[in-house]
Amino acid sequence: MIVIVANERKEELSNLGVDVIKEMKGEYPVDDIVTMFKNFYFNKMILDITAIKDYLNISNLQKLSMGLDVSKIVFLLPNIPEVSSAVYLNKLVSIGIYNFTNNVNGVKYLLEHQNTYDDVSYVENMSDDLDDTNNYSTTLSNTSMNNSSPTIIGVKNITDHAGATSLIYMMKRELERVYGETIYAVEVSRHDLDYFNVRNTVSTNKTGLTTALNKLADAIVILVDLNDCDDTTSFNEVIYLVEPSSIKLNKLMRTNKNIFSELGEEAKIILNKSLLSGKEISEFEFEAKTHVFYNMPPLNDRRKNEDVVNLLSKLGVFGNNSSKKDGKFLGIFKI
């Protein structure tokens, strides 16, 4: 039993394929919406917030949160800087609104998976260094959402067993909170992902990789465990994992002492399962003549990890960084 209140996004919401018991279209004062639905029974409401008159005024959303059970409401936000800023999102979280997204796939996901504070608490951290005049945009652009070409991110172990498969699993899980079924993981030459028992995983060999990627027409993001595959011509990004223990690094140097110069200055090196201090990281960079893109500590893959979210942000998958080779923006915020 779903209620839809829509305005600017009404065409998108008309094709959701859900059972709707009541639908309203237009712009309404927030008090009218509260009055209409305060004693109206529904399981879920999909609320296009442009249907709320003066929705940029957070006090109107606060009135709504006081008058209705917002845990039953999925808020569809417009793709405009004023709403996608960290400041605005932080205000939503502060008044108890956790189920928000700016895309229809996110709406579908939130109808089945209700957010808690833990799922959106990262928004508060995003705005620690911001004020109302600093717009930290995390907008999911229509271009990236509707582009037929997915964003492909390769993950490759440089030291033996550096943790690519586990990291891909955790990255995939965080991305699924946003995109649901449109996140895929592909593994080359092995089947280790099978042991995580997750959906939308594919195993292939080096010669079949391009074909496997082309078949994933509905994908938004594809994460590829490269293993021994070196062909990354069709990839938007590749990250290289190094486990910085003495034995792993010494073995790597004996195998190929020029590995970091061969990867190049632009290579994104991730120290994975790392307990190195800031000073030790600097020493590593000096000795290897490379730059560390991210220092990833040992993680518990059974729970949400903020370090994984931060890595995705730095890669431009969460946040306002650009990572696509063609310059297109892939920024998203949590749903």
Side-chain angles (χ1 to χ4, degrees), residues 77-93:
L77 311 183
N79 288 305
I80 60 173
E82 294 91 333
V83 172
S84 60
S85 70
V87 173
Y88 191 89
L89 298 180
N90 189 21
K91 289 177 179 178
L92 291 183
V93 173

Side-chain angles (χ1 to χ4, degrees), residues 306-322:
E306 287 303 318
D307 273 290
V308 176
V309 175
N310 292 339
L311 173 60
L312 290 168
S313 297
K314 196 168 184 181
L315 286 169
V317 185
F318 291 151
N320 66 344
N321 300 311
S322 177

Side-chain angles (χ1 to χ4, degrees), residues 11 47 74 105 124 126 129 162 201 218 274 284:
E11 297 301 325
L47 176 58
V74 176
N105 274 352
E124 295 179 318
M126 279 168 45
D129 299 320
T201 60
D218 64 329
S274 170
F284 169 83

Side-chain angles (χ1 to χ4, degrees), residues 7 64 74 95 103 121 204 221 248 292:
N7 187 29
L64 188 78
V74 176
I95 61 176
N103 62 84
S121 60
T204 185
V221 180
K248 293 293 181 68
V292 173

